Amino acid sequence: MQLLLTVYYLVQLAADQVPLMEDLEQIFLRSWRESHLTEIRQYQQAPPQPFPPAPSAAAPVTSAQLPWLASLAASSCNDSVHVIECAYSLAEGLSEMFRLLVEGKLAKTNYVVIICACRSAAIDSCIAVTGKYQARILSESLLTPAEYQKEVNYELVTGKVDSLGAFFSTLCPEGDIDILLDKFHQENQGHISSSLTASSVTKAASLDVSGTPVCTSYHLEPHSIRPFQLAVAQKLLSHVCSIADSSTQNLDLGSFEKVDFLICIPPSEVTYQQTLFHVWHSGVLLELGLEKEHMTKQRVEQYVLKLDAEAQTKFKAFLQNSFQNPHTLFVLIHDHAHWDLVSSAVHNLYSQSDPSVGLVDRLLNCREVKEAPNIVTLHVTSFPYALQTQHTLISPYNEIHWPASCSNGVDLYHENKKYFGLSEFIESTLSGHSLPLLRYDSSFEAMVTALGKRFPRLHSAVIRTFVLVQHYAAALMAVSGLPQMKNYTSVETLEITQNLLNSPKQCPCGHGLMVLLRVPCSPLAAVAYERLAHVRARLALEEHFEIILGSPSSGVTVGKHFVKQLRMWQKIEDVEWRPQTYLELEGLPCILIFSGMDPHGESLPRSLRYCDLRLINSSCLVRTALEQELGLAAYFVSNEVPLEKGARNEALESDAEKLSSTDNEDEELGTEGSTLEKRSPMKRERSHSHDSASSSLSSKASGSALGGESSAQPTGLPQGEHARSPQPCGPTEEGRAPGEKQRPRASQGPPSAISRHSPGLTPQPDCSLKTSQRSVQVSVTSSCSQLSSSSGSSSSSVAPAAGTWVLQASQCSLTKACRQPPVVFLPKLVYDMVVSTDSSGLPKAASLLPSPSVMWASSFRPLLSKTMTSTEQSLYYRQWTVPRPSHMDYGNRAEGRVDGFHPRRLLLSGPPQIGKTGAYLQFLSVLSRMLVRLTEVDVYDEEEININLREESDWHYLQLSDPWPDLELFKKLPFDYIIHDPKYEDASLICSHYQSIKSEDRGMSRKPEDLYVRRQTARMRLSKYAAYNTYHHCEQCHQYMGFHPRYQLYESTLHAFAFSYSMLGEEIQLHFIIPKSKEHHFVFSQPGGQLESMRLPLVTDKSHEYIKSPTFTPTTGRHEHGLFNLYHAMDGASHLHVLVVKEYEMAIYKKYWPNHIMLVLPSIFNSAGVGAAHFLIKELSYHNLELERNRQEELGIKPQDIWPFIVISDDSCVMWNVVDVDSAGERSREFSWSERNVSLKHIMQHIEAAPNITHYALLGLRKWSSKTRASEVREPFSRCHVHNFIILNVDLTQNVQYNQNRFLCDDVDFNLRVHSAGLLLCRFNRFSVMKKQIVVGGHRSFHITSKVSDNSAAVVPAQYICAPDSKHTFLAAPAQLLLEKFLQHHSHHFFPLSLKNRDHPVLSVDCYLNLGSQISVCYVSSRPHSLNISCSDLLFSGLLLYLCDSFVGASFLKKFHFLKGATLCVICQDRSSLRQTVVRLELEDEWQFRLRDEFQTANAREDRPLFFLTGRHI
């Protein structure tokens, strides 16, 4: 079956086609499917195949039937396949074949199938390729690149090619072409040079005099990042982050402070300079902080490594640098990563011949790179296939593919340019498009085939190169005034040459187009360069266009005249400047002969108009090589003019060019072709006939039909259509046959002059061509240059008006460059492969072997599909390809690991020339920014408020150099009632009799939603003593975070802990979650038994190894973002840290912080505020102090020696600072200070070591601000409010409680209670705490919403209260929160006299509630012996009684005096206690109440609303 299918396949191959192994493998797969159809039908639906259906015989084919069936199959192919049957062995058949060859009987046969069908043994068969063309192609494809170069070199050196040159010289009727050139040179030397020079001088002069920029099309693209590149950079960043976030600990981003990089590129000088240019202009070095503002090119060169013989030294320096800087993340970028994948083992065999073989493997895969924890390797390539094998080092999850430009027809990223790549080029060949951009040259192919038969021993690359160079030489001569040479070139080459020479004349500045001539073999490229340079010199065209020989090993060499032009165009003043990349040749008319077996990523300028790939190695039939060559033409076109606006627009634009290049310049070809083609008007529709006829001439016909005769009727074509078209400069319309002129040409079909109608175009062009050309009586008068209006005409006196008009209408060739990609010419063999598709629509080229360094894992593999995404293609290749033994990944799986992926290796793939370099440089920038962002934090940076209202007392703490407060001095300091913490900017001012009262307005209060947004922050770099959230994981933290070798991960136990509290009237049951690693901080009745207490140290302990005070951090909604990792803040010192969490959040906090002790609040506090947490922390701590005193008393320790302090810290405290003061003396006015970051351990141990510390009830720190003044830190201690981070003496404050109902300002309320109890509050002004801005959780986790679920309208504070028994919408929020929020925003409704009336504050008894910034309050305590300010001379504008207890009596209130009309607000838990309070306090004696003045919070009855009553003073 397989053999029969192979014969079918060979029969249907055309004469110019070559059998492909991939096709044969698909045949075998089909055969296998046929034979196993019933078995596989249930698993797989067989995809339709492009091969003829196999005979579906019921029984298998017998050995007797097979030769007969094969002969039958071959009978229809006109002898191209011959079947020989032999009885005993294949040798018999082979000798028969050789006999037939000798006798000349196989002249027309391309393939001989020999079948040996012995009855006893299995069937033997072999296939011999006897067709000269096929045999040549197949044998040449077996050569390696090195062998290919060697063979060509040998033919050049030994003079084998001389016979080819001699043959070419006989073609010209006038004799040798060189003789013709010399003759032309002598005849025209004086005239041409003088006229040309004169014209160019005039042009320059007119430019200089006018001084205006004449050409608007020429502009060098500014360096900018396109949306696509930004998206890819972000994708790369997210992949790096996912490596870091995985549990494998392969990358610790938190430990890196900066980014460094090295870009490795192939050894191409142009690519090297191009990469340097990109790095320089991207600004990445400045952004990464690697270089200063004025960097030199030598400095930039340190970051780009050319993989040549000298690379090893530079790479060793890179490795050394990475080893010495463990806190720098090094990104090793391997650009053009599909190049040189040779294993270093192969290098060991061939190291003498080529030291650069296997260099990539030796450097990038060395042990140091693989093991370095701070090196990430990024492979970047357009052709990733060789890195996607079964043995690859790159995980499929670490592949980043360039995103598609649109999804479901919608553009994903708005860009002003559209990428035009291989798929778009192929699309342009389909019918319905006006102009194919992929073409082949059939006349060139015909001549090559003919010469191949004549010179069978020459390599086809040599023949192709010599033919093409001959065509270019003839075309240059034809255009320069030797019209007879047009017969010795092809239409395509003539078109290229004319446009090359004409384009500079259409631009006032002389901008032209680039022609890329790809000659892979370097010796042949040198031959081509010498020959074309010689022809150019003989034709005196040295200053018209440049010829550049581009090879990987050398830089760009451009003549002085053209360097001068480039400098003028690019406004470069440096006289030493020379172009170093092809991009800098923008606008230069030139032929770039591009050599080297593989392109190495060189980018080409926008002025590239023709990409001549007719010489690419046809034997190089692998996907990477093909796509790499076609990638040279990849291009960005302007998005403003859509390419798909139907055929009309494009036909007009392109056809203006074609009209000129063929209908006029090649008039004899065009007209002759059209006469020959009159009979086939429909051939234009054939989609794959883009040979010399349809590609070069067909669209000219349609162009003429649309626009009329462009030269004869200038009005027919809008001026814009001539944008960037080389204009008519040949025989004019007058010379055309009259009949030709009138006939509408649209009906003629494609004029197929040379290709299809001269199949025998062998060395001697068809005579009929010449006769038909002569019959059209065309007068060839002059060359283009002589006819153009900008230069004088030597031999021609005819300068028709039509031609002049065309030039005036023309524009610079760069105008069109933005809108149309280059035209690509391919060898016919490659063209057929690229444009033919399989049944799914996938180009045949995509099914080829992906890379020469890999092989298929099996012939029985599914087909690639057009619908596959890049990711699916990658998975396909990973499953179905294996590296060859020479591939660097070959030994990867042999390392003993099933998962051989390297964790810090990524692969970025994207189409050629799409901007991958810009994307990865942008990635370096965003990665650096992210690392900086990881090491930076936004901290609140606000000035202290109410500084001008500070207590102006005679008493200041004047001993400026005291490290600790002196108790006796400190007791004499007055308490500063005023709040200075900027977070309370909207809070009510607290009045005291010390104030120098100023009645100015404190400014408008902010909207509640603006409060957070407008708070000022500063970005600070995290110091080594910072507190961290869950995203930080460095090696030092592993044990702290729970990665402890002694304990099983996350092992912890839940312990209940109960104590009674009389004020709540019930027993409080708390739960501790204690990890095994933290059990030593607690006392248990027995190991694993009942929790008894938390261990407390002694006051007398002096150890510096641990922190004595347990730290409690109440938190809600911040399991990820809360700063609970105090390992670095405590500088590794032992400490006890307890997270205080709500019951419903216990699980999530435990998940994120498995090694932290949790104190879980009872479920009744799930909706409570921070006051409840503070209250329980303090009560628990006092209860624990009692337990510890009892326990340690049994050990002989005095109760007063047990450490009574705890720390209550916010979950956003990130860093701590100390102020260093340098004062010349105690009272000196000279005072300088500086602030530095210190560990929390340093601050805690300093405070804990203070003498008489147990006499202080509350200690705190200043809140950091960059705006801190010297006056604020001059005094080391203040007696004032403390917030955020407090050290609380639970022993002294036993009888002072936090209010467990409070949500806001509970710390201010507690501070006032502590002070009024006669206790000391001390703030260490020389210590400060930085608070991080955290945008989630905390008090923002309380949302006030309507209880009615379908009501989604926002609730405003005015709706937080309502009249009792009303039909108001109830809210789903605690009553206390509604009360506090309402008073903060609307208390002026209750206290109208108090608004902006600081002289007459509101009297607030036993509590501080925030009444808003416009109202001042005066706090008094009703407790006996409490410290209160003297109120005898104060008249109050209001009275606030909040849940007052039995200490508040009628006699207490009678001490205070109120303004007439002052208002009262009494707040109670229910309506009955409200009435009882009014009666008990005898309020009706002095206050007047009305029924309508009773309110409640907007809660339903089951939510226990608060009630309040307002009244007016009589």
Side-chain angles (χ1 to χ4, degrees), residues 824-839:
V824 182
F825 293 108
L826 293 171
K828 176 74 165 62
L829 184 73
V830 175
Y831 176 86
D832 288 342
M833 198 174 299
V834 169
V835 298
S836 61
T837 56
D838 66 14
S839 52

Side-chain angles (χ1 to χ4, degrees), residues 929-1090:
R929 270 178 246 155
M930 190 201 70
L931 287 191
V932 169
R933 198 70 191 86
L934 283 178
T935 61
E936 285 184 344
V937 66
D938 287 325
V939 298
Y940 290 112
D941 181 17
E942 301 159 310
E943 261 184 297
E944 288 203 338
I945 57 172
N946 303 323
I947 298 295
N948 54 343
L949 303 175
R950 198 184 283 280
E951 306 287 354
E952 294 298 334
S953 160
D954 294 338
W955 281 98
H956 287 284
Y957 196 97
L958 296 174
Q959 291 178 206
L960 304 184
S961 56
D962 279 8
W964 294 287
D966 180 293
L967 185 62
E968 296 309 314
L969 274 175
F970 196 79
K971 280 181 178 175
K972 295 174 185 173
L973 284 180
F975 179 70
D976 183 358
Y977 280 88
I978 294 171
I979 306 169
H980 298 294
D981 191 316
K983 76 175 172 185
Y984 292 125
E985 189 180 355
D986 285 359
S988 301
L989 199 66
I990 304 166
C991 296
S992 72
H993 54 295
Y994 298 114
Q995 282 166 212
S996 48
I997 290 174
K998 299 175 184 173
S999 56
E1000 77 272 4
D1001 181 18
R1002 289 180 67 206
M1004 285 301 293
S1005 63
R1006 298 181 290 196
K1007 291 181 189 173
E1009 62 271 19
D1010 290 348
L1011 186 61
Y1012 173 72
V1013 177
R1014 293 195 188 171
R1015 291 188 64 184
Q1016 289 183 331
T1017 58
R1019 185 163 287 182
M1020 301 296 294
R1021 196 173 182 88
L1022 288 167
S1023 73
K1024 63 177 182 174
Y1025 300 125
Y1028 290 97
N1029 59 22
T1030 188
Y1031 296 112
H1032 171 84
H1033 29 75
C1034 67
E1035 285 180 26
Q1036 297 101 307
C1037 290
H1038 278 196
Q1039 190 171 321
Y1040 175 82
M1041 293 298 287
F1043 302 101
H1044 196 289
R1046 277 180 55 198
Y1047 306 108
Q1048 191 178 340
L1049 195 61
Y1050 308 154
E1051 194 180 349
S1052 58
T1053 48
L1054 183 71
H1055 297 272
F1057 188 77
F1059 62 94
S1060 57
Y1061 181 64
S1062 56
M1063 281 184 72
L1064 286 175
E1066 59 187 35
E1067 188 176 69
I1068 299 174
Q1069 175 116 11
L1070 298 169
H1071 286 91
F1072 273 100
I1073 297 173
I1074 305 172
K1076 290 281 187 198
S1077 58
K1078 300 292 170 70
E1079 286 184 348
H1080 61 277
H1081 289 296
F1082 295 86
V1083 178
F1084 299 93
S1085 58
Q1086 62 194 51
Q1090 177 67 37

Side-chain angles (χ1 to χ4, degrees), residues 440-448 467-476 478-479 485-498 612 614 661-662 665-666 669 691-693 695-697 753-755 758 761 765 769 825:
Y440 67 89
D441 180 350
S442 55
S443 57
F444 169 75
E445 296 291 338
M447 190 159 191
V448 167
V467 172
L468 192 61
V469 170
Q470 184 73 8
H471 276 193
Y472 270 101
L476 283 170
V479 173
M485 295 307 293
K486 287 189 179 185
N487 303 334
Y488 306 102
T489 183
S490 68
V491 178
E492 277 77 7
T493 315
L494 195 58
E495 174 195 327
I496 292 171
T497 313
Q498 287 173 327
D612 192 341
R614 285 177 279 186
S661 65
T662 310
E665 294 158 344
D666 314 323
L669 291 176
D691 49 28
S692 63
S695 64
S696 304
L697 301 177
I754 289 179
S755 69
S758 52
L761 180 62
L769 283 174
F825 293 108

